[in-house]
Amino acid sequence: MTIAPEHRPLLTVHTHARGKRSPVTCRLKCNDACLHPAPNESANEYFKDVVSSVLSRRAMLGSLAVAAGAVVIGAQAVGAPTAAAATLPEGRFPGHGRGLAFGAIEPQHVDVDQLVVPEGYTWDPIIRWGDPILPGARTFDPNNQSPEQQAKQFGYNCDYLDILPFDAGDEHRGTRGLLVSNLEYTNASIMFPATEKYWETDAAGNVTGTKNAYARAIERAAHGMAVVEVRRQAPGKPWSYQRISPVNRRIHMDTEFVLDGPAAGTDLLKTAADPTGTRVLGTMNNCAGGTTPWGTVLSGEENFNGYFAAAGVNKTADARYGIPASSGYGWEADEPRFGGGAGYENEANRFGWIVELDPHDPSAPPVKHTAMGRFKHEGANVTLSRRGHAVAYMGDDQAFDYVYKFVSKDRVAKGSSRWARAHNKTLLSEGDLYVAKFTGDSPAAEIDGSGALPSDGAFDGTGEWLPLVLDGVSQVAGMSVEEVLVYTRLAADTVGATKMDRPEDVEISPVTGRIYVACTNNSGRTPGNGREGVTEPNPRDHKVQGGATVNGNRDGHVVEIIPTGDQTSTSFTWNLLLVAGDPAVDGTYFAGYPKDRVSPISCPDNLAFDAEGNLWISTDGQPSSSGIAKCDGLFKVPVAGRERGHVQQFLSVPAGAETCGPVIDSRDGMVYVNVQHPGEDGTFDAPQSLFPDYIAAGAPVEAGDFRGPRPTVVQVYRDGGRGNGHGNGRGNGNGRSDR
């Protein structure tokens, strides 16, 4: 049987999907956030895409500072099917600075179903969707999935990633590690075959487009997080995951979490199933995250709103968080808590938090920290102040929402003793919460809306962190502490924070302490929006490409924040490191680096740093960079010296996929990424990607493999890193232990 034509009536929303982004992903991942009006209706100022078409004085100076010279830039696709990436013209790139050395690859067309890496590198999977990791898990069989088996397997759509040293307190990855990954959301159409085992049937016995309770239970088991032991022969060589290990762990929708912090136990978090307001089952839509200085992992609950039906006690808050009238997953048919009925009006309030997980202690329950505020968390990244306070930076991933900072009340305990670890795991339970306000530094008359730079040659300025909670006391008029923390968006609206264009990952440079914010894009940023006139932080609301005017900030940008003094300071300066897009199009900017020498980049999402302080950017939904849509990828960008702004593409992910969770270990010569939603717009029977197993049509399928797309954790390493030489893209990550 085949799935009836009505299988995806709600997913074919082509009017709001941009570039390569599929309407399927828009619906499943973020509940069509771009299709609906932005839920932020406050009068606060916007932070529009900044820097425009005019070559600034800094760009000219940057071009003069670049050393002369030419190199041949080659690229090679490694994996199956074998193909070579096109070589960029000679002389386009002047050479690379410190850190991981590579030749930038040519951007790949949106239909290329390969993971392309630079010449001299190869790649392998470490672990894939469905690979077994717990006792009792059978070899993956895509035609016979069950909720029980999925709960024992690596879940779906991996996002945040890190590989930690196996022993708590170690500073370097050795030959044993702990792989930790978020598992964000599911796509039933490419997960399940079109049989009545997973789909409802009509009166004639035909399979419809409605998932049944069995499939929905598998989806709930595929969400969450995973901890998996990995091993390798030596640093610089590829890892293999361990199918059987006492530290392996799956977090899913039936896992119990602890709610802590000032809002825990209050009436806003109590339900019929949890009258204490301190326990909650599950975590969902876990996007990016961060690894703390004390060795735990933070995970951001992002687009939780799409899993609930609006029936809460605060309709204003439900609207502000975008909770719809009906959910996108249908879980309310199985568990009343998702429907918001009697006794469960507060269930949605128990999601949208920062989660902390201790990978080194499989018995420790994960914690949701209410002190850090509730919104659509992309993730959280922590640094330490001079006095040892934990300072976390966070983005609320929605158009016209905000950037936040949390400062712990207590200070970090040094060392890795049992007492120190226990103490440090409480640091995010109590502290001060802030939201950012940005101000330009040029006269209003110099911002004419054309994108012409003001007389000082830059769009930049100052900013302040506006307090929401200080010393346990609400700083928002008319709101209690628990209201500020549960309805953080409303609190930030009230104090006058600056609206941003989808602030996603926020990373801190390990070298300079500067903070970098990825603003992915905002198609709702259009001329004459009626909210406000142009300001220095908001000088552009369109671009001209190919002779046509395109409204909105389609390509995104990266903001650089420089604290005034310590990380706990409440003031800062800011500037734009990048304004992304096709370098040949007016309105792009690369920190003054010559635009004809950079790789095209669009829709920055996750950020990471290498040991030398270079910024690495992974993209999500990269639309048109050179007149045609390109696959998403991973890019290196130095942030200091002559190479500042020199964007260089390191890899390209397969058709339909997004690049997530980059980890750059330049000392080992290793790069890790999660490849999420490959082949996002296909079906089980007609896949649009064969990554990573690449089973040819008619070829036999080995046990544990799949002729279809599988979200996968990928490692990239130098060709000499593998002792036996292996570059077909399948590696050891097939569910078999190397013990």
Side-chain angles (χ1 to χ4, degrees), residues 126-141 145 148-155 226-229 240-245 248-250 703-705 710 732-737:
I126 301 179
I127 192 167
R128 307 161 296 178
W129 165 52
D131 283 337
I133 63 173
L134 295 182
R138 297 189 296 270
T139 299
F140 176 62
D141 181 353
Q145 281 289 84
E148 296 77 17
Q149 283 298 307
Q150 180 63 89
K152 298 175 181 178
Q153 299 167 340
F154 192 71
V227 180
V228 185
E229 181 182 348
S240 297
Y241 93 89
Q242 303 301 294
R243 179 169 177 168
I244 303 297
S245 172
N248 287 1
R249 191 176 184 185
R250 267 303 319 279
D705 287 348
R710 300 174 75 174
N732 293 337
N734 54 12
R736 294 185 287 272
S737 173

Side-chain angles (χ1 to χ4, degrees), residues 659-695:
T659 323
C660 296
V663 178
I664 317 300
D665 193 338
S666 50
R667 290 171 295 194
D668 273 5
M670 304 279 288
V671 172
Y672 310 91
V673 295
N674 277 342
V675 178
Q676 190 186 87
H677 60 74
E680 59 187 344
D681 206 23
T683 65
F684 188 93
D685 296 323
Q688 292 189 359
S689 173
L690 299 180
F691 170 85
D693 297 343
Y694 292 113
I695 308 299

Side-chain angles (χ1 to χ4, degrees), residues 418-491:
R418 180 176 298 180
W419 177 87
R421 286 185 56 76
H423 168 79
N424 292 338
K425 288 195 291 184
T426 68
L427 289 177
L428 305 181
S429 303
E430 189 175 5
D432 299 334
L433 184 63
Y434 303 86
V435 65
K437 180 178 178 62
F438 296 81
T439 304
D441 65 358
S442 296
E446 294 187 4
I447 312 299
D448 62 5
S450 69
L453 290 167
S455 59
D456 66 359
F459 289 116
D460 55 7
T462 59
E464 58 181 319
W465 293 104
L466 305 175
L468 301 176
V469 175
L470 286 180
D471 298 324
V473 178
S474 169
Q475 304 298 300
V476 184
M479 299 184 73
S480 65
V481 169
E482 57 265 34
E483 288 172 331
V484 169
L485 298 177
V486 174
Y487 305 132
T488 309
R489 282 183 167 181
L490 296 177

Side-chain angles (χ1 to χ4, degrees), residues 461-463 560-564 571-575:
T462 59
E560 182 180 61
I561 296 174
I562 304 97
T564 304
S571 63
F572 58 86
T573 59
W574 64 269
N575 68 84

Side-chain angles (χ1 to χ4, degrees), residues 383 391 393-394 403-405 465 505-509 512-518 558-564 566-567 572-575 607 609:
T383 188
V391 181
Y393 293 94
M394 304 169 286
V403 176
Y404 295 85
K405 179 168 82 168
W465 293 104
D505 205 3
V506 186
E507 289 279 346
I508 309 106
S509 168
T512 66
R514 295 185 175 190
I515 301 101
Y516 295 82
V517 183
V558 176
V559 185
E560 182 180 61
I561 296 174
I562 304 97
T564 304
D566 186 73
Q567 293 285 353
F572 58 86
T573 59
W574 64 269
N575 68 84
L607 306 177
F609 278 93

Side-chain angles (χ1 to χ4, degrees), residues 607-625:
L607 306 177
F609 278 93
D610 59 27
E612 292 75 26
N614 297 301
L615 181 66
W616 292 69
I617 302 173
S618 64
T619 62
D620 170 20
Q622 181 160 276
S624 177
S625 292

